[in-house]
Amino acid sequence: MIPGRALSFTQAFLALNPLPDFEAWHFEPGMGFLDPGSWWGARKARPHPHEGVDLCRYLEARGRVLPLGAGTRIPAVFPGRVVRVLKDFLGMSLFMEHLLPGGRFLTLFGHLSLDEGMAVGRILEAGECLGRIAPARSSPTAPAPHAHLSLARCSSALDPADLDWPDLTERVELLDPRVLL
């Protein structure tokens, strides 16, 4: 349990993206926290276990699995400050810092098209839209549009402006982001 959380990511997500038949998130092998393989293309092994979850599909009330599309709005999980914005292989990544009871946390989002004015230093409320799922690349092996979500606890000495995806696992304590869903 993460202290200080008033609403779940899913509640905030559905407030921004009304999906009346939403039942649950759907994760295929490779989309979950610490999964060793990829879920797209040749489904090869990842160089490191997956550091978060990929939000790509959901189960609707009639049992069908439906995709999220490019342009789907993504909310901030907690109130906090944007501390890092960088380009990733599908779009942009945004790292937010949250000072909560129990420590200093980061939420890390990947593969987004950021909303105008979304930059380092921006303060967001929980549930506020920070961007949209970026369009897929035009390649038969590219993954479908999706948002990546990671959760980390970090020391007060860490400067998040120096973080990048390749060194993430060595510099923060990764937590299972499914507790936010």
Side-chain angles (χ1 to χ4, degrees):
M1 178 80 179
I2 304 298
R5 185 167 54 102
L7 63 132
S8 75
F9 174 86
T10 302
Q11 290 169 315
F13 176 86
L14 292 173
L16 292 176
N17 305 283
L19 301 170
D21 290 335
F22 181 96
E23 217 32 58
W25 292 105
H26 175 80
F27 297 103
E28 295 177 10
M31 291 180 172
F33 182 61
L34 298 180
D35 281 356
S38 64
W39 54 270
W40 65 89
R43 299 182 184 259
K44 295 180 180 177
R46 294 175 185 266
H48 305 285
H50 196 211
E51 64 281 311
V53 295
D54 288 333
L55 303 171
C56 182
R57 297 180 179 92
Y58 67 96
L59 181 67
E60 54 99 45
R62 290 183 294 272
R64 293 184 302 167
V65 175
L66 299 175
L68 298 177
T72 300
R73 297 165 55 121
I74 302 299
V77 179
F78 304 105
R81 181 174 61 93
V82 176
V83 293
R84 181 107 161 99
V85 174
L86 62 144
K87 190 159 183 49
D88 64 42
F89 75 102
L90 294 175
M92 299 296 292
S93 291
L94 181 141
F95 298 1
M96 284 187 68
E97 175 185 52
H98 316 281
L99 302 175
L100 302 169
R104 181 176 177 221
F105 294 87
L106 298 173
T107 50
L108 305 96
F109 299 88
H111 320 318
L112 303 179
S113 296
L114 299 180
D115 280 358
E116 189 173 325
M118 200 57 59
V120 172
R122 173 89 182 261
I123 305 294
L124 294 165
E125 295 300 320
E128 190 174 345
C129 182
L130 49 88
R132 295 162 181 11
I133 294 178
R137 291 192 335 213
S138 57
S139 161
T141 59
H146 69 283
H148 174 93
L149 171 62
S150 289
L151 173 65
R153 183 186 336 254
C154 61
S155 75
S156 57
L158 176 75
D159 182 357
D162 294 335
L163 277 179
D164 203 345
W165 290 107
D167 67 353
L168 189 64
T169 57
E170 298 165 11
R171 307 204 42 217
V172 299
E173 175 193 0
L174 289 171
L175 305 170
D176 189 342
R178 291 175 289 200
V179 299
L180 304 174
L181 302 178

